[in-house]
Amino acid sequence: MAARIEHLVTSGRFTLDGGTWDVDNNVWIVGDDREVIVIDAAHDADAIAEAVGDRTLSAILCTHAHNDHIDAAPALAERTGAPIWLHPDDLPLWKQTHPDHLPDHWLADGQVIESAGADLTVLHTPGHAPGAVCLYDAGLGTVFTGDTLFAGGPGATGRSYSHFPTIIDSIRDRLLALPPDTVVHTGHGDSTTIGAEAPHLQEWIARGH
């Protein structure tokens, strides 16, 4: 059975550098009728578990460790037995939210996470956060970009652990190299495509933020 992509929006708060903002997050569920992966367990473990239903949750993948993308991960893991995966460079951010619960496994650039007909290749794309990753499935024609690339430009780089030139390098070298018709499923807001965003790279660089 071919993998399919399901979408859930959860709401909560993003907190960093002493500020707090209300946010809506995209939670992506990839799999089939038997087994799924959750990308970014944000805010509401109950709602995510309900969307998973009686299927096996084989992994909780974190695109990065800002609290709004990981705050429900330990509760969801405890409820389902699924392991949590994070890139090790984001461990300092993770510890700000979950000092007593470490991830179970480390994501590595080029690694492939297989589940239920999906083959998600890990692309290390630092800039928004040191350990930010995107997850690309050529068979699905889709890349899950977290907060690295949105419809309209790069993720924010004005706070701790972020760096604008680095996110530009990540987008140019790792994401814009993907096929133009690749669907970009983001961490917040609407989806887009690589082809829709690629022509605007120089505009983003000129804006410089």
Side-chain angles (χ1 to χ4, degrees), residues 52 76 154:
V52 170
L76 184 63

Side-chain angles (χ1 to χ4, degrees), residues 8-105:
L8 181 69
V9 177
T10 59
S11 299
R13 291 185 167 180
F14 167 51
T15 301
L16 187 66
D17 296 342
T20 298
W21 300 265
D22 292 329
V23 288
D24 297 326
N25 284 63
N26 294 326
V27 179
W28 301 99
I29 301 172
V30 184
D32 59 18
D33 291 340
R34 298 183 305 274
E35 183 182 20
V36 294
I37 285 171
V38 163
I39 299 171
D40 287 347
H43 306 308
D44 193 334
D46 290 340
I48 300 168
E50 184 177 346
V52 170
D54 59 3
R55 296 175 291 183
T56 298
L57 180 56
S58 57
I60 300 166
L61 306 182
C62 306
T63 62
H64 62 295
H66 284 153
N67 75 288
D68 57 318
H69 292 257
I70 63 165
D71 49 3
L76 184 63
E78 183 174 342
R79 185 164 174 164
T80 61
I84 300 168
W85 292 74
L86 178 74
H87 193 282
D89 289 356
D90 259 18
L91 185 58
L93 279 167
W94 172 276
K95 286 181 174 179
Q96 291 184 13
T97 303
H98 300 302
D100 300 319
H101 190 299
L102 293 179
D104 300 290
H105 302 294

Side-chain angles (χ1 to χ4, degrees), residues 98-137:
H98 300 302
D100 300 319
H101 190 299
L102 293 179
D104 300 290
H105 302 294
W106 300 121
L107 294 170
D109 186 62
Q111 177 182 9
V112 179
I113 306 291
E114 300 178 19
S115 175
D119 296 298
L120 295 164
T121 298
V122 177
L123 307 176
H124 184 210
T125 52
H128 180 70
V133 300
C134 297
L135 301 159
Y136 174 57
D137 189 313

Side-chain angles (χ1 to χ4, degrees), residues 28 39-40 63-64 69 123 125 128 132-136 142-151 153 155 171 175 178 182-188 190 192 194:
W28 301 99
I39 299 171
D40 287 347
T63 62
H64 62 295
H69 292 257
L123 307 176
T125 52
H128 180 70
V133 300
C134 297
L135 301 159
Y136 174 57
T142 299
V143 62
F144 300 91
T145 57
D147 289 1
T148 295
L149 179 63
F150 293 110
I171 291 170
L175 298 181
L178 299 176
T182 302
V183 175
V184 177
H185 285 324
T186 62
H188 307 272
D190 295 335
T192 182
I194 293 297

